[in-house]
C-alpha cells in the first residue's frame, strides 16, 4: 500500500517491500551519478526527480556522485554546472562525492579479485577483445592470456598502475564466462591504461576503472540501498551483482531500471549535443534551443514546471517518446500563474491618432493607464502604462484588405486598444515600395479604459506600446530544433533532421518601459504573444519561452 503523497510505481513499491522486510533497517539512500562530460539535459532532469524524489518520499537521503572515470572527456566546468543545475531544479544532495574518491578502494578490490583468480591482465588490444566476445547466440573466444598465473597478473597489474606500459597495451578483465548468454558477463574490462591527467587526481593514476567496475562498487562504498538507473543498464545488473558477490559486500544495493525520458523533436545524446556546440549550430550548451537544463532555464522554463512534468510522466519500465507539447503545457500552466503581464510589439507598425490632444505647450498629451500585472494573481497588483497619440502596434494587427473573419484593425473598422481607447482606422501611409508604414486613426475620447460610453461592442482588443516611451529590444523566436518528431528515424543520424530555421531574431521590437526593470532570467507574458524570458547576460534580449495556445490540449482532442 502506498503512503499518502507517495507516487505508486514499481520503485516505490519495492522500497515499501524492503522497508516492511527490514532489508536495510528501514533506511532509504539513493544517488544521482552523472558523468561530468557535458551539461545535464531534460532526460537527466527526470532521473534527478526520480532519485531525489524517491529519497524525499521516504525521508531518506540522496547523494550526488560524479562518475569521473574517463579523464579524456571530463572537465571541472561540467562538474560545477551539474551541481548548479541540480540546485536550480530544487534539490540539495546530502553529500557530493566523486568516483575518483574511491580509486584506492577500487584498486584494492581489483587486486582481491586477481588473488582469487577472478581477474586477469589481457595483452590484447581493444579491437581484438571486441571481436572475440562473440555475439548473441554465439559464444566468445577465451583470451590466450586468460589463464595467466595469479602472481604474473599481480605483477603486470602493479606495473600498469606504475605507468610502465603505453595506452591500450593491456587491460584488466574479470574472469567470468566467455560463453555466457549475457554479453556483459563475457570477461568485461575493469581497468584500461590512460596516461592522462585527471581533473581531480592529476597524474596520480595511469589506469582508470571502467564504468561497469566503478558503478556498483561505488554504490556499495557509499551505502546506497536503492540504485536507480535507466533501462539500458538492465543487462548490466547481473555483472554488478557478480562483482558484489565476489567481494562479499554486506547488504549490497539493489538496482532498479526505469524508462528514460525522450521527447519529440529532441535528442539527448551528449555526444551529438556536444557536436551541435562544437560545430556552431547552436551558441553553446545553454542555447535556448538545447534540451539541456541550462538551455531550458535560459529559455524561461520554470524549475517547478519541469519537476511537475517529470513527476507526472511517472516511473515505468516501457520506453516511449513523450510529446514536447506536453512539457510545454506544464510550463505554460506555471507561467500563467506566476508571470507578470507586459505589452511588447515584436514587428512594429506606427499608429497615429490624428485628433490626439496636446498640452499647454503644444506637446502631445501623455496619459497613464492602470493595468493589471497578472489577472491570475491579484496580489501582483497593477502598474501605470503611458499612452500618447503615437503608438506601436503589430504589423499583423492591421490589414488594408482584410481577409474573411479578420476582426482586427482595417480601414473603417473600430477596435479596442488594451485598457486605453477605441480607435478607428481612417487612412494609411505607404513607403516608396507600397508597404504600409503608418496607420492614421481617430479615437473615441469617451471610451477611456477601453469601455465606450454607449456600451457598443467591438470584436477585437489589441496591445500597443507608446512610441514616445518605448524601449528598443531584440526578441528571439524559436521553432523546433529538429524538423521530425523522432530525429534520425529516417537516416539513422539525428543531425540530418536539424531545422535550419529554428531561430528568428527580431531586432526592432518595442516594449513598454516596465520591461527595462525586468530582472535577468525573469519570465513575463507579452500580452497576446506568449511568454518571454529576459536573457541572463544580454540586456533587452527576450527569448520566447512558449506561446499562449495550449497545443497539448489540441493534440489530446485530436487523439
Amino acid at each position: 500500500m502506498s503512503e499518502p503523497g507517495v507516487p505508486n510505481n514499481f520503485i516505490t513499491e519495492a522500497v515499501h517491500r524492503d522497508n516492511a522486510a527490514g532489508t536495510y533497517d528501514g533506511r532509504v539512500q539513493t544517488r544521482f551519478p552523472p558523468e561530468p562530460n557535458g551539461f545535464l539535459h531534460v532526460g537527466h532532469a527526470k532521473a534527478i526527480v526520480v532519485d531525489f524524489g524517491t529519497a524525499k518520499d521516504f525521508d531518506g537521503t540522496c547523494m550526488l556522485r560524479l562518475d569521473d572515470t574517463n579523464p579524456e572527456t571530463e572537465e571541472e566546468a561540467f562538474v560545477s554546472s551539474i551541481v548548479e543545475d541540480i540546485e536550480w531544479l530544487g534539490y540539495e544532495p546530502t553529500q557530493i562525492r566523486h568516483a575518483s574518491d574511491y580509486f584506492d578502494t577500487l584498486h584494492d578490490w581489483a587486486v582481491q579479485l586477481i588473488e582469487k583468480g577472478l581477474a586477469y591482465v589481457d595483452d590484447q588490444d581493444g579491437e581484438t577483445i571486441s571481436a572475440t566476445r562473440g555475439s548473441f547466440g554465439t559464444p566468445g573466444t577465451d583470451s590466450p592470456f586468460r589463464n595467466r598465473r595469479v602472481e604474473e597478473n599481480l605483477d603486470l597489474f602493479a606495473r600498469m598502475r606504475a605507468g610502465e606500459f603505453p595506452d591500450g597495451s593491456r587491460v584488466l578483465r574479470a574472469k567470468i564466462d566467455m560463453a555466457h548468454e549475457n554479453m556483459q558477463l563475457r570477461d568485461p574490462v575493469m581497468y584500461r591504461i590512460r596516461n592522462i591527467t585527471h581533473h581531480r587526481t592529476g597524474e596520480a593514476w595511469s589506469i582508470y576503472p571502467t564504468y561497469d567496475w566503478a558503478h556498483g562498487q561505488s554504490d556499495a562504498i557509499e551505502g546506497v540501498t536503492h540504485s536507480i538507473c535507466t533501462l539500458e543498464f538492465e543487462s548490466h545488473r547481473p555483472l554488478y551483482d557478480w562483482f558484489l558477490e565476489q567481494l562479499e559486500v554486506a547488504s549490497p544495493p539493489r538496482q532498479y531500471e526505469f524508462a528514460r525520458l525522450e521527447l519529440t523533436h529532441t535528442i539527448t545524446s551528449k555526444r551529438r549535443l556536444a557536436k551541435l556546440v562544437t560545430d556552431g549550430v547552436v551558441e553553446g550548451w545553454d542555447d535556448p534551443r538545447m534540451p539541456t537544463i541550462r538551455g531550458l532555464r535560459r529559455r524561461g522554463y520554470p524549475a517547478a514546471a519541469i519537476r511537475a512534468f517529470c513527476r507526472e510522466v511517472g516511473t515505468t519500465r516501457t520506453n516511449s517518446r513523450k510529446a514536447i507539447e506536453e512539457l510545454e503545457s506544464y510550463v505554460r500552466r506555471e507561467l500563467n500563474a506566476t508571470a507578470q503581464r507586459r505589452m511588447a510589439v515584436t514587428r512594429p507598425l506606427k499608429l497615429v491618432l490624428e485628433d490626439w490632444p496636446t498640452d499647454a505647450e503644444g506637446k502631445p498629451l501623455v496619459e497613464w493607464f492602470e493595468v493589471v500585472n497578472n489577472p491570475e494573481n491579484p496580489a501582483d497588483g497593477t502598474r501605470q502604462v503611458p499612452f500618447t497619440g503615437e503608438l506601436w502596434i503589430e504589423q499583423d494587427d492591421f490589414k488594408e484588405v482584410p481577409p474573411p473573419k479578420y476582426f482586427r484593425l482595417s480601414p473603417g473598422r473600430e477596435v479596442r486598444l488594451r485598457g486605453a481607447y477605441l480607435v478607428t482606422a481612417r487612412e494609411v501611409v505607404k513607403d516608396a515600395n507600397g508597404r504600409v508604414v503608418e496607420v492614421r486613426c481617430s479615437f473615441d475620447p469617451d471610451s477611456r479604459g477601453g469601455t465606450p460610453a454607449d456600451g457598443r461592442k467591438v470584436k477585437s482588443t489589441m496591445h500597443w506600446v507608446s512610441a514616445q516611451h518605448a524601449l528598443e529590444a531584440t526578441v528571439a523566436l524559436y521553432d523546433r530544433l529538429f524538423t521530425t518528431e523522432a530525429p534520425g528515424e529516417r537516416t539513422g543520424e539525428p543531425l540530418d533532421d536539424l531545422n535550419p530555421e529554428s531561430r528568428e531574431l527580431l531586432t526592432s521590437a518595442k516594449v513598454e518601459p516596465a520591461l527595462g526593470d525586468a530582472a535577468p532570467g525573469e519570465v513575463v507574458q507579452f500580452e497576446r504573444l506568449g511568454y518571454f524570458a529576459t536573457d541572463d547576460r544580454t540586456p533587452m534580449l527576450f527569448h520566447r519561452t512558449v506561446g499562449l495556445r495550449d497545443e497539448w490540449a489540441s493534440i489530446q482532442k485530436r487523439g
Side-chain angles (χ1 to χ4, degrees):
M1 181 71 67
S2 293
E3 298 173 2
V6 177
N8 185 15
N9 58 60
F10 74 95
I11 291 177
T12 57
E13 291 302 316
V15 177
H16 282 302
R17 289 194 300 271
D18 285 339
N19 287 350
T23 305
Y24 300 102
D25 297 323
R27 188 172 60 88
V28 176
Q29 180 178 329
T30 62
R31 82 290 172 268
F32 175 59
E35 183 180 357
N37 63 349
F39 283 66
L40 299 182
H41 53 64
V42 67
H44 292 115
K46 178 181 176 181
I48 291 169
V49 170
V50 172
D51 289 330
F52 284 87
T54 300
K56 182 179 179 181
D57 289 339
F58 292 93
D59 296 323
T61 60
C62 183
M63 302 175 59
L64 167 63
R65 180 174 74 241
L66 286 307
D67 174 43
D68 54 350
T69 57
N70 187 1
E72 292 174 297
T73 61
E74 297 160 0
E75 299 177 16
E76 194 63 36
F78 294 144
V79 173
S80 300
S81 74
I82 289 169
V83 173
E84 292 169 8
D85 287 347
I86 292 173
E87 291 177 349
W88 178 76
L89 275 175
Y91 299 100
E92 183 177 354
T94 52
Q95 293 185 61
I96 299 177
R97 304 301 299 270
H98 300 74
S100 55
D101 294 335
Y102 315 131
F103 278 0
D104 286 317
T105 301
L106 293 171
H107 172 269
D108 293 345
W109 281 354
V111 170
Q112 287 184 32
L113 293 185
I114 295 174
E115 291 173 339
K116 289 183 175 184
L118 297 175
Y120 63 96
V121 174
D122 193 344
D123 295 359
Q124 297 179 116
D125 60 34
E127 290 185 5
T128 302
I129 291 174
S130 179
T132 57
R133 288 183 72 223
S135 60
F136 293 105
T138 303
T141 303
D142 285 357
S143 165
F145 305 99
R146 195 173 193 267
N147 295 316
R148 271 179 162 151
R149 293 180 299 108
V150 167
E151 293 75 19
E152 184 180 4
N153 283 319
L154 288 171
D155 175 67
L156 287 171
F157 188 56
R159 293 166 65 189
M160 287 169 60
R161 166 75 175 85
E164 289 189 22
F165 305 120
D167 288 6
S169 59
R170 286 179 171 84
V171 297
L172 182 70
R173 298 177 69 179
K175 190 175 183 180
I176 307 179
D177 183 357
M178 288 300 292
H180 201 286
E181 61 180 5
N182 185 333
M183 299 283 290
Q184 306 300 329
L185 277 81
R186 294 185 182 180
D187 291 11
V189 173
M190 298 169 58
Y191 276 92
R192 65 269 200 245
I193 300 172
R194 293 288 187 274
N195 290 290
I196 187 172
T197 301
H198 189 280
H199 69 96
R200 291 190 74 243
T201 62
E203 298 179 359
W205 292 87
S206 296
I207 54 173
Y208 292 95
T210 61
Y211 180 86
D212 280 340
W213 168 238
H215 183 72
Q217 280 57 256
S218 295
D219 283 347
I221 293 169
E222 293 168 349
V224 169
T225 58
H226 300 83
S227 176
I228 307 170
C229 59
T230 46
L231 278 175
E232 64 263 35
F233 293 101
E234 182 175 19
S235 64
H236 297 243
R237 190 201 322 146
L239 172 59
Y240 302 155
D241 292 343
W242 185 89
F243 280 136
L244 295 172
E245 289 169 6
Q246 310 315 311
L247 295 169
E248 300 178 4
V249 172
S251 298
R254 174 69 163 82
Q255 178 172 296
Y256 299 89
E257 306 89 11
F258 66 93
R260 64 187 299 165
L261 175 60
E262 295 286 355
L263 295 174
T264 56
H265 300 281
T266 306
I267 63 171
T268 54
S269 161
K270 280 198 284 187
R271 178 176 63 84
R272 289 188 171 94
L273 292 176
K275 183 172 175 58
L276 293 179
V277 175
T278 56
D279 288 356
V281 175
V282 295
E283 293 180 341
W285 287 94
D286 66 346
D287 188 296
R289 291 167 290 179
M290 290 281 273
T292 57
I293 294 176
R294 286 296 175 92
L296 298 178
R297 178 181 180 180
R298 192 173 175 209
R299 187 162 174 171
Y301 280 40
I306 297 173
R307 292 196 307 269
F309 171 70
C310 291
R311 195 86 164 178
E312 186 63 27
V313 163
T315 306
T316 69
R317 287 183 50 80
T318 303
N319 281 320
S320 62
R321 191 182 297 270
K322 294 292 181 179
I324 194 169
E325 292 86 356
E326 186 175 358
L327 170 58
E328 291 172 343
S329 72
Y330 278 83
V331 172
R332 188 179 296 105
R333 188 182 312 163
E334 176 71 18
L335 293 177
N336 187 51
T338 60
Q340 302 270 298
R341 274 50 168 173
R342 297 291 184 262
M343 287 195 283
V345 174
T346 57
R347 294 182 172 89
L349 172 65
K350 180 68 70 71
L351 184 149
V352 177
L353 300 181
E354 296 178 324
D355 43 0
W356 185 252
T358 57
D359 61 19
E361 299 178 357
K363 296 178 181 179
L365 189 68
V366 177
E367 289 195 43
W368 293 83
F369 290 96
E370 186 175 49
V371 180
V372 173
N373 283 324
N374 186 346
E376 302 296 323
N377 185 7
D380 281 347
T382 61
R383 69 189 186 283
Q384 296 292 316
V385 180
F387 184 94
T388 63
E390 291 192 4
L391 308 167
W392 295 111
I393 63 171
E394 292 286 347
Q395 292 177 13
D396 286 345
D397 281 343
F398 175 81
K399 296 291 183 185
E400 188 174 14
V401 181
K405 297 183 179 180
Y406 182 85
F407 300 113
R408 286 168 280 174
L409 197 61
S410 61
R413 178 170 289 163
E414 187 175 51
V415 300
R416 177 184 293 105
L417 295 182
R418 167 89 165 87
Y421 290 103
L422 270 59
V423 301
T424 303
R426 298 303 182 190
E427 62 177 304
V428 298
V429 177
K430 299 182 180 181
D431 63 14
N433 296 318
R435 185 173 63 94
V436 175
V437 294
E438 183 178 298
V439 180
R440 304 188 72 84
C441 298
S442 61
F443 82 104
D444 178 2
D446 294 326
S447 63
R448 194 177 195 281
T451 303
D454 60 7
R456 67 184 182 277
K457 305 295 184 181
V458 295
K459 291 186 176 181
S460 181
T461 299
M462 297 170 11
H463 64 280
W464 49 270
V465 174
S466 166
Q468 178 181 335
H469 302 87
L471 302 178
E472 298 285 335
T474 297
V475 172
L477 304 179
Y478 298 103
D479 197 354
R480 307 299 185 205
L481 186 56
F482 293 90
T483 56
T484 60
E485 289 192 352
E489 189 173 60
R490 177 177 53 86
T491 65
E493 174 49 67
L495 300 188
D496 289 342
D497 293 323
L498 274 170
N499 180 4
E501 299 178 350
S502 58
R503 182 180 69 170
E504 180 183 7
L505 282 178
L506 306 178
T507 58
S508 347
K510 314 293 182 181
V511 301
E512 68 167 90
L515 283 169
D517 298 325
E522 181 180 354
V523 184
V524 298
Q525 184 194 107
F526 286 0
E527 297 208 24
R528 299 176 61 232
L529 299 178
Y531 295 95
F532 290 77
T534 57
D535 193 70
D536 55 4
R537 53 182 178 270
T538 305
M540 301 309 291
L541 169 61
F542 296 88
H543 303 286
R544 184 178 185 271
T545 308
V546 289
L548 298 179
R549 186 167 64 91
D550 190 348
E551 295 174 305
W552 174 240
S554 300
I555 290 173
Q556 288 181 305
K557 288 180 180 178
R558 291 198 302 268

